Amino acid sequence: MSLQIAYFALSLLTVILILLGANRVIKKTHPNDAAAQKKYFLMVLIPLLLWHLYVFLVARTGFFTNYEFPPRFVLFLILPLFAFTGIFLYLSRHKQWIKNVPEPWLVYYQTFRIGIESLFLFSVSAGILHSQVTLEGYNYDMIFAMTAPIVGYLAYSKKIFSRKIVKYWNFLGLAVIASIIFLFISTNFLPELYGSKVSLMPQGIGYYPYILVAGFLMPSAVFMHVLSIVVLSRKS
């Protein structure tokens, strides 16, 4: 399986996981209303499809391979999705569906990041990434992702970890993601930190489907962390 197919397959898997989780929440929120279930499911599905279409079409032009300041992938991918996460979840924090989100699902979802970091390692040999932004360098996201099934098991199967611990774990996950964003940006604009006089950011990462890391996969992890914090705060 080629690297491109692997990136696309991982993105498709996360979309399926999101849709399965959304479908469960919708059915629990509107148990006897088939019309409402269909309506709200489409409200999740259609924006997801449109966003992926947007990322695909723009990336095909090579627009995201321009790494001059300010970085385009931050302005046109990351910031819009972060803004959506903050505004949407803030406005939804008191809605009924928040109570129906399964807490374990939000934790176990973060396991997909093991897949991302594994693909990163293969991407180095393919010239898509520099080793500094992988586990071989300063990216420790794989280690954090490996804690997701452990935290989920201890918190929801064994009832050893409290909701407060899970909430702190979510904040730690957001901090790890913030460090990775800094890592990627600094390898481009501050390569001196890594002993280089030129940018360490290969242009290949700006093409589709590699751009899905910045344009969907990483923001989806942020969304789930923030949603988990909102759910835990609401239930506590």
Side-chain angles (χ1 to χ4, degrees):
M1 182 170 58
S2 73
L3 200 56
Q4 288 183 328
I5 295 176
Y7 272 94
F8 180 79
L10 182 60
S11 300
L12 179 61
L13 174 62
T14 58
V15 169
I16 292 173
L17 291 175
I18 291 171
L19 291 176
L20 289 175
N23 188 54
R24 178 177 175 181
V25 172
I26 292 168
K27 286 186 175 180
K28 193 171 181 180
T29 306
H30 307 279
N32 302 311
D33 192 340
Q37 291 177 14
K38 181 179 179 180
K39 170 188 173 183
Y40 287 110
F41 184 78
L42 289 176
M43 287 176 65
V44 176
L45 175 62
I46 293 175
L48 272 175
L49 294 179
L50 290 176
W51 179 258
H52 275 269
L53 180 62
Y54 161 74
V55 175
F56 172 75
L57 292 177
V58 178
R60 292 285 290 181
T61 68
F63 180 77
F64 296 122
T65 61
N66 184 321
Y67 299 137
E68 295 179 0
F69 190 85
R72 294 179 178 182
F73 70 92
V74 173
L75 291 180
F76 295 94
L77 294 176
I78 296 177
L79 288 182
L81 289 177
F82 280 10
F84 168 78
T85 295
I87 295 171
F88 175 74
L89 293 181
Y90 177 79
L91 295 177
S92 302
R93 68 192 188 283
H94 296 308
K95 292 187 177 180
Q96 179 60 35
W97 69 266
I98 289 289
K99 285 189 174 183
N100 296 328
V101 177
E103 293 179 38
W105 172 68
L106 296 173
V107 174
Y108 287 121
Y109 178 84
Q110 301 294 345
T111 307
F112 88 92
R113 287 154 68 174
I114 297 176
I116 295 180
E117 301 306 325
S118 299
L119 290 178
F120 276 7
L121 294 175
F122 288 106
S123 299
V124 174
S125 58
I128 304 300
L129 286 176
H130 191 276
S131 61
Q132 295 289 3
V133 298
T134 71
L135 189 62
E136 296 177 358
Y138 299 95
N139 185 342
Y140 305 113
D141 193 47
M142 182 181 288
I143 297 174
F144 174 83
M146 288 178 177
T147 68
I150 299 173
V151 171
Y153 178 74
L154 294 178
Y156 299 107
S157 295
K158 290 299 183 179
K159 308 295 183 182
I160 296 175
F161 284 176
S162 66
R163 282 195 172 105
K164 183 176 290 187
I165 292 177
V166 177
K167 186 185 291 188
Y168 289 151
W169 176 83
N170 278 296
F171 281 116
L172 176 61
L174 291 173
V176 171
I177 292 174
S179 72
I180 296 170
I181 294 175
F182 172 78
L183 180 60
F184 270 85
I185 293 177
S186 62
T187 55
N188 183 44
F189 297 108
L190 297 170
E192 298 83 5
L193 294 176
Y194 309 95
S196 175
K197 294 182 179 180
V198 297
S199 171
L200 299 177
M201 184 83 77
Q203 283 196 331
I205 194 63
Y207 287 108
Y208 191 89
Y210 310 116
I211 195 63
L212 285 172
V213 174
F216 177 69
L217 293 171
M218 180 274 291
S220 79
V222 171
F223 182 91
M224 293 302 178
H225 273 311
V226 178
L227 177 57
S228 181
I229 292 169
V230 172
V231 169
L232 292 168
S233 299
R234 176 79 184 269
K235 291 185 177 180
S236 63

